[in-house]
Amino acid sequence: MESRRGLRLGALVQVSLHVRDVARAERFYGETLGFRHLYTFGDLAFFDLDGTRLYLHRKDDADWQPGSILYFRVEDIQAAWNELAARGADGLEEPHVIFVHDSGIEEWMAFFADGEGNTLALIEQRGPRSETFNG
């Protein structure tokens, strides 16, 4: 992304979410979602989300607040949804079309919870002939 003054920002490197229980969050992000655990120290845990680092920071209830929704691209949203359900993920909204572009590309989303009060989502973009669009 380039600004008027020539600043060029690179790719998103890290996102942070508050959690109430680091051990439970480690199980969810590591075992349920299958992300590679990088390290944990104290109330902080870090995972690799395909090149973006997820930083989980434990907060007491009084200081806890939900984070932004993390959207994960998948090739087959129904298969991914079924797998997450089999792993015990708490589904909030099943896969559904949320928008159809003029080109016919469909935006599909499904929402689930991480057990810590944060919402996560799956997203698939399908072309008019079931082609996947990655743009």
Side-chain angles (χ1 to χ4, degrees), residues 3-117:
S3 74
R4 295 183 312 212
R5 298 183 189 217
L7 173 65
R8 179 156 169 72
L9 299 177
L12 181 65
V13 174
Q14 179 171 293
V15 294
S16 174
L17 289 179
H18 292 166
V19 298
R20 293 179 177 108
D21 182 330
V22 173
R24 179 174 56 199
E26 285 177 322
R27 285 190 304 275
F28 181 80
Y29 286 93
E31 296 171 18
T32 303
L33 297 186
F35 291 119
R36 185 171 63 94
H37 179 255
L38 297 172
Y39 45 88
T40 297
F41 59 97
D43 289 340
L44 312 175
F46 295 83
F47 286 85
D48 176 26
L49 278 63
D50 196 24
T52 300
R53 192 170 47 214
L54 175 63
Y55 160 44
L56 303 174
H57 186 175
R58 192 193 73 74
K59 296 285 187 176
D60 294 325
D61 284 340
D63 296 326
W64 186 90
Q65 57 185 326
S68 297
I69 298 174
L70 302 180
Y71 294 82
F72 298 100
R73 183 180 306 278
V74 294
E75 291 183 22
D76 182 335
I77 197 166
Q78 191 63 55
W81 178 259
N82 294 343
E83 179 63 26
L84 286 173
R87 294 181 184 192
D90 182 20
L92 301 175
E93 289 183 39
E94 293 191 13
H96 60 283
V97 175
I98 61 156
F99 182 75
V100 179
H101 297 270
D102 290 341
S103 65
I105 294 171
E106 300 173 341
E107 297 272 345
W108 285 72
M109 289 189 187
F111 296 86
F112 59 103
D114 71 353
E116 293 293 316

